[in-house]
């Protein structure tokens, strides 16, 4: 019997920036998905999913034919086969978890990382993959296999764990950060996310702004142009386009300050100045997401206000937005903050930064 668990994740800095090629800083959280199971005597693959009242069942010989558009359980097997793994028998397992589902905390990616970790150990020729490699396998199975628009943040952060800094351009670069952070409170608005609507504005809208600005000023770069320089484009862009541009450049700079803070101060918990500044940076990012990228909702705004009034130092909406989760940094008064979020209509979870995917004893 093998049991694997993998965490969900929150994004500290760089929300709605990774698809523009900008870096992100993300953290694994202490809410996880577990897969527990063993080999069978036949070639059947059976997954019990009691949390959602479902069951997946297929034979290994059928795994190359996808039965639905996002057949992740089969695609992970196929990706491992392409890496040289063989499966002479099937397996039966149960999937359970306590990560909020469809709320921006990467429950799907955590599931596929757990599944990839479970599968390679179940193969006839198990390898010794690093957490980074497991993240890449899961990304290939969930994103690349089906041509979906997703970056590497979710898979790397859930597989590697703790806090990571991730660059995607000019090449993939992952850096582990090791700040000793205190307690967070995750708040689920219980509202469905508006992923497609938010992407239409935040991604495709911003890509159109970049193209328009570069036609006017070929030296413009979202990576290096100072935020103050955007004044030169005020006659070129609409007020809405200027809002998006300024927010993205400010969020880029907020991330850089956040990385410096998390990299140089390895004992943030208990350091009041560092805790306060970290909270302020999270909240600055939230304001840009709320006011300029419009990813928040009135309910999430009420949850944020309630959390701050109860003692949280700052926070932001998490994930694609238009619903889903927010989180706040609350190294003190976490229980009071959690209660305030509940009174504002959300579902709260007290969480800490956690390690990545692991084989449980």
């Amino acid at each position: 019997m093998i049991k694997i668990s993998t965490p969900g994740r929150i994004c500290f800095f760089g929300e709605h920036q990774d698809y523009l090629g900008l870096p992100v800083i993300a953290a694994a959280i202490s809410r996880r998905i577990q897969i527990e199971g063993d080999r069978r005597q036949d070639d059947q693959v059976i997954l019990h999913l009691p949390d959602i009242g479902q069951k997946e069942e297929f034979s290994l010989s059928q795994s190359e034919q996808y039965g639905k558009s996002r057949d992740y359980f089969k695609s992970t097997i196929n990706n491992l086969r392409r890496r040289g793994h063989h499966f002479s028998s099937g397996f039966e397992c149960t999937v359970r978890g306590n990560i909020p589902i469809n709320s921006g905390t990467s429950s799907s990616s955590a599931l596929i990382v757990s599944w990839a970790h479970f599968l390679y150990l179940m193969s006839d020729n198990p390898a010794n993959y690093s957490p980074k490699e497991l993240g890449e396998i899961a990304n290939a199975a969930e994103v690349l296999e089906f041509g979906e628009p997703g970056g590497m943040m979710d898979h790397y952060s859930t597989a590697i764990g703790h806090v990571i800094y991730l660059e995607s351009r000019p090449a993939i670069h992952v850096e582990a950060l090791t700040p000793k952070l205190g307690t967070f409170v995750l708040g689920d608005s219980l509202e469905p996310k508006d992923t497609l609507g938010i992407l239409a504005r935040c991604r495709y809208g911003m890509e159109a702004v970049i193209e328009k600005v570069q036609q006017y000023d070929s030296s413009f770069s979202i990576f290096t142009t100072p935020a103050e320089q955007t004044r030169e484009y005020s006659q070129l862009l609409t007020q809405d386009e200027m809002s998006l541009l300024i927010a993205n450049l400010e969020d880029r700079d907020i991330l850089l300050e956040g990385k410096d803070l998390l990299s140089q101060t390895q004992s943030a918990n208990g350091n009041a100045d560092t805790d306060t500044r970290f909270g302020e940076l999270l909240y600055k990012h939230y304001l840009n997401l709320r006011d300029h990228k419009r990813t928040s909702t009135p309910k999430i705004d009420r949850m944020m206000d309630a959390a701050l009034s109860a003692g949280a130092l700052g926070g932001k909406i998490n994930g694609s937005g238009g619903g889903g989760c927010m989180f706040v940094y609350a190294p003190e008064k976490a229980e009071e903050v959690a209660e305030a979020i509940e009174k504002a209509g959300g579902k709260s979870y007290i969480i800490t930064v956690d390690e990545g995917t692991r084989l449980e004893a």
Side-chain angles (χ1 to χ4, degrees), residues 75-312:
S75 66
T76 310
I77 293 173
N78 293 332
N79 272 273
L80 285 166
R81 280 173 167 160
R82 291 171 203 147
R83 287 175 170 254
H85 290 276
H86 305 286
F87 301 93
S88 58
S89 64
F91 15 85
E92 186 165 358
C93 57
T94 299
V95 180
R96 290 188 173 90
N98 60 11
I99 304 171
I101 297 173
N102 296 325
S103 60
T105 46
S106 296
S107 59
S108 172
S109 298
L111 171 60
I112 304 307
V113 169
S114 284
W115 181 232
H117 197 166
F118 176 86
L119 283 175
Y120 93 76
L121 292 175
M122 281 289 177
S123 72
D124 300 342
N125 51 332
N128 186 24
Y129 290 121
S130 68
K132 178 175 179 290
E133 289 173 312
L134 279 172
E136 290 164 353
I137 292 168
N139 180 262
E142 187 178 4
V143 175
L144 303 182
E145 190 83 4
F146 300 102
E148 296 185 2
M152 291 292 299
M153 172 177 62
D154 293 355
H155 304 93
Y156 275 145
S157 58
T158 57
I160 296 171
H162 302 291
V163 181
I164 64 165
Y165 166 82
L166 172 64
E167 289 180 357
S168 57
R169 296 184 189 176
I172 294 289
H173 168 71
V174 184
E175 184 178 335
L177 306 178
T178 57
K180 292 182 175 67
L181 292 168
T183 311
F184 295 81
V185 182
L186 181 70
D188 189 349
S189 70
L190 307 176
E191 297 175 312
K193 295 185 300 173
D194 179 24
T195 301
L196 294 179
I198 297 295
L199 279 177
R201 170 178 174 77
C202 293
R203 178 174 186 168
Y204 308 126
M206 186 57 197
E207 288 173 344
V209 169
I210 292 171
E211 182 178 1
K212 185 183 288 189
V213 171
Q214 287 181 333
Q215 288 177 349
Y216 171 79
D217 177 7
S218 60
S219 69
F220 173 82
S221 168
I222 194 171
F223 302 99
T224 58
T225 297
E228 304 77 42
Q229 191 171 319
T230 56
R231 291 191 295 268
E232 299 178 15
Y233 313 127
S234 60
Q235 301 303 312
L236 176 71
L237 303 174
T238 67
Q239 184 175 352
D240 202 42
E241 290 170 332
M242 278 291 293
S243 178
L244 263 182
L245 178 60
I246 292 170
N248 272 293
L249 296 188
E250 287 183 353
D251 284 343
R252 174 202 66 192
D253 295 340
I254 288 169
L255 178 140
L256 294 175
E257 184 178 347
K259 180 176 186 288
D260 186 61
L261 185 74
L262 295 172
S263 299
Q264 294 188 18
T265 305
Q266 301 302 306
S267 56
N269 189 24
N271 183 323
D273 290 341
T274 301
D275 281 344
T276 298
R277 185 56 184 160
F278 178 59
E280 289 172 350
L281 290 174
L282 291 174
Y283 191 69
K284 284 179 68 176
H285 192 9
Y286 162 73
L287 292 178
N288 278 334
L289 292 166
R290 183 193 72 183
D291 298 339
H292 302 291
K293 300 182 185 181
R294 301 176 192 166
T295 69
S296 192
T297 68
K299 183 176 184 180
I300 288 174
D301 295 341
R302 291 194 298 271
M303 291 162 60
M304 180 66 71
D305 291 343
L308 296 175
S309 296

Side-chain angles (χ1 to χ4, degrees), residues 35 47 56-57 64 75 96 100 181 197 258 310 349 351:
I35 293 182
L47 296 105
E56 291 264 350
E57 186 172 1
E64 292 185 7
S75 66
R96 290 188 173 90
L181 292 168
Y349 308 88
I351 58 172

